[in-house]
Amino acid sequence: WGWGSSSVKVPHFARGRPRLFFDGTGHMFPFSLGVTSVIMREYDIDPEACIFAISGGNFSALCVILQQDPRMMFHKQKSSLEEVKSKPLMGLFGNLSDLRESLDRVLPDNVHILASGRLAVVMSSWPLLGFHYKHHFRSKQELISCVIASCSFPFLVWRPQWCVRDMGLVFDAGLQNALTPLDPIMHLTIRVFKRYDGDPSLTPVGVRPSLQRVATPLHPKEALRVMRSGSDTAIRYLGLSPSSKEGRPVIGLKRKKRKKEKGGMISRAASANAALERKSSSPSRFASSLLP
């Protein structure tokens, strides 16, 4: 399961619970959103599941907790992507103020109540690293500040964040997760970069991740392609073929009963993916199929 894994322990608040982990994705967050759209469509997620997230993985985690269509989340963040691309150095060395404003605008006022106990935002302390989990939130602004801190990767954002009184300066936990991955204590991990050949985590197929793609905003059409790749990858990884009854077993996920349609039992994920395949020949038609 990877080097450094023996030093990672299950946090006390997550013991005995299903654990899902959305690793940091940076500007490739549409990949995780594509995966999430399939999971939410095909499975009932255990309400006792604890959802861990780093950086852009928080968008997917919030979709699950708020029961929000990931395509809608993508649509809401699309304008932020376009604004960032117009900034000097495409927003590098900024303070993520656009992201803060966007989250404040799109998240409900009671998001901190809905997320407390279910979402664990993962951060590292500055400059000593380590994992710090925030899983109870006193206000909407405190939750947003934790997400911003989790997205604050060193050198890409101009400084660490002060988001919680008792935590001090914190930032993106991606470096610590590279040294001691959280994957071994999770029941399902969605990540952009494979740790090694044969990595059992759910990682991209058909899209080649790179540091440049993670660090700089994607063109909207490219972001749509990455999101579609996430959906395709999830369908293959989870074994959601039309003939499959259960798919790959994952603790915390229970396959929804499929509706009977003309021609027999058809997987909703497979039929939706087939529709995307038919539309993919035209970029404009494909984009309209994803955005509400």
Side-chain angles (χ1 to χ4, degrees), residues 15-78:
R15 291 172 188 164
R17 301 169 61 186
R19 297 180 293 277
L20 281 64
F21 175 37
F22 292 96
D23 191 15
T25 56
H27 286 290
M28 282 194 70
F29 71 88
F31 172 79
S32 289
L33 289 178
V35 172
T36 306
S37 67
V38 172
I39 291 175
M40 292 179 67
R41 185 171 58 236
E42 289 294 310
Y43 294 92
D44 290 318
I45 301 172
D46 191 328
E48 291 298 313
C50 187
I51 305 172
F52 293 74
I54 294 176
S55 187
N58 283 284
F59 302 146
S60 291
L62 287 168
C63 284
V64 172
I65 291 167
L66 300 176
Q67 288 297 292
Q68 181 177 107
D69 188 338
R71 294 172 299 178
M72 182 68 75
M73 175 67 80
F74 173 79
H75 181 56
K76 290 175 178 177
Q77 296 300 328
K78 180 170 173 283

Side-chain angles (χ1 to χ4, degrees), residues 184-216:
I185 66 171
M186 301 296 166
H187 297 115
L188 176 64
T189 292
I190 296 91
R191 59 164 51 245
V192 168
F193 292 105
K194 287 184 178 180
R195 293 178 293 152
Y196 50 84
D197 288 339
D199 185 351
S201 304
L202 198 163
T203 55
V205 174
V207 171
R208 181 176 295 178
S210 66
L211 290 176
Q212 180 180 356
R213 277 181 161 180
V214 169
T216 57

Side-chain angles (χ1 to χ4, degrees), residues 252-272:
L253 302 183
K254 182 179 179 181
R255 188 81 180 273
K256 291 179 179 179
K257 292 183 179 179
R258 292 170 291 179
K259 294 179 181 179
K260 192 170 185 178
E261 303 177 9
K262 291 182 180 180
M265 299 289 285
I266 302 177
S267 165
R268 289 189 296 277
S271 60

Side-chain angles (χ1 to χ4, degrees), residues 7-278:
S7 63
V8 180
K9 306 297 182 185
V10 178
H12 67 90
F13 60 84
R15 291 172 188 164
R17 301 169 61 186
R19 297 180 293 277
L20 281 64
F21 175 37
F22 292 96
D23 191 15
T25 56
H27 286 290
M28 282 194 70
F29 71 88
F31 172 79
S32 289
L33 289 178
V35 172
T36 306
S37 67
V38 172
I39 291 175
M40 292 179 67
R41 185 171 58 236
E42 289 294 310
Y43 294 92
D44 290 318
I45 301 172
D46 191 328
E48 291 298 313
C50 187
I51 305 172
F52 293 74
I54 294 176
S55 187
N58 283 284
F59 302 146
S60 291
L62 287 168
C63 284
V64 172
I65 291 167
L66 300 176
Q67 288 297 292
Q68 181 177 107
D69 188 338
R71 294 172 299 178
M72 182 68 75
M73 175 67 80
F74 173 79
H75 181 56
K76 290 175 178 177
Q77 296 300 328
K78 180 170 173 283
S79 60
S80 294
L81 286 175
E82 293 169 343
E83 290 173 8
V84 169
K85 285 185 73 69
S86 66
K87 290 191 171 185
L89 298 178
M90 291 186 288
L92 290 176
F93 310 111
N95 60 3
L96 301 180
S97 59
D98 292 330
L99 176 57
R100 182 182 293 276
E101 292 171 6
S102 175
L103 291 174
D104 191 33
R105 185 171 60 250
V106 305
L107 295 178
D109 289 339
N110 66 341
V111 63
H112 60 292
I113 298 173
L114 299 173
S116 287
R118 294 199 65 197
L119 171 64
V121 180
V122 187
M123 300 166 278
S124 284
S125 64
W126 178 266
L128 302 177
L129 298 179
F131 287 123
H132 292 273
Y133 311 98
K134 185 64 177 174
H135 61 101
H136 279 284
F137 309 94
R138 289 171 284 198
S139 68
K140 174 182 177 180
Q141 291 306 316
E142 182 176 83
L143 184 148
I144 291 174
S145 292
C146 289
V147 171
I148 294 296
S150 184
C151 292
S152 298
F153 196 84
F155 310 114
L156 301 183
V157 175
W158 78 277
R159 64 175 177 83
Q161 305 288 320
W162 185 285
C163 63
V164 184
R165 289 195 302 268
D166 54 354
M167 277 191 172
L169 289 174
V170 288
F171 66 107
D172 191 320
L175 289 176
Q176 183 63 61
N177 194 50
L179 296 171
T180 56
L182 288 172
D183 304 45
I185 66 171
M186 301 296 166
H187 297 115
L188 176 64
T189 292
I190 296 91
R191 59 164 51 245
V192 168
F193 292 105
K194 287 184 178 180
R195 293 178 293 152
Y196 50 84
D197 288 339
D199 185 351
S201 304
L202 198 163
T203 55
V205 174
V207 171
R208 181 176 295 178
S210 66
L211 290 176
Q212 180 180 356
R213 277 181 161 180
V214 169
T216 57
L218 302 176
H219 186 279
K221 288 184 179 180
E222 175 68 5
L224 285 171
R225 192 169 77 86
V226 171
M227 186 172 181
R228 175 174 169 265
S229 170
S231 296
D232 291 343
T233 301
I235 290 169
R236 285 192 289 267
Y237 180 91
L238 295 168
L240 301 176
S241 65
S243 60
S244 172
K245 293 182 179 179
E246 296 297 332
R248 178 193 290 252
V250 178
I251 294 174
L253 302 183
K254 182 179 179 181
R255 188 81 180 273
K256 291 179 179 179
K257 292 183 179 179
R258 292 170 291 179
K259 294 179 181 179
K260 192 170 185 178
E261 303 177 9
K262 291 182 180 180
M265 299 289 285
I266 302 177
S267 165
R268 289 189 296 277
S271 60
N273 195 52
L276 293 182
E277 290 285 351
R278 291 193 295 273

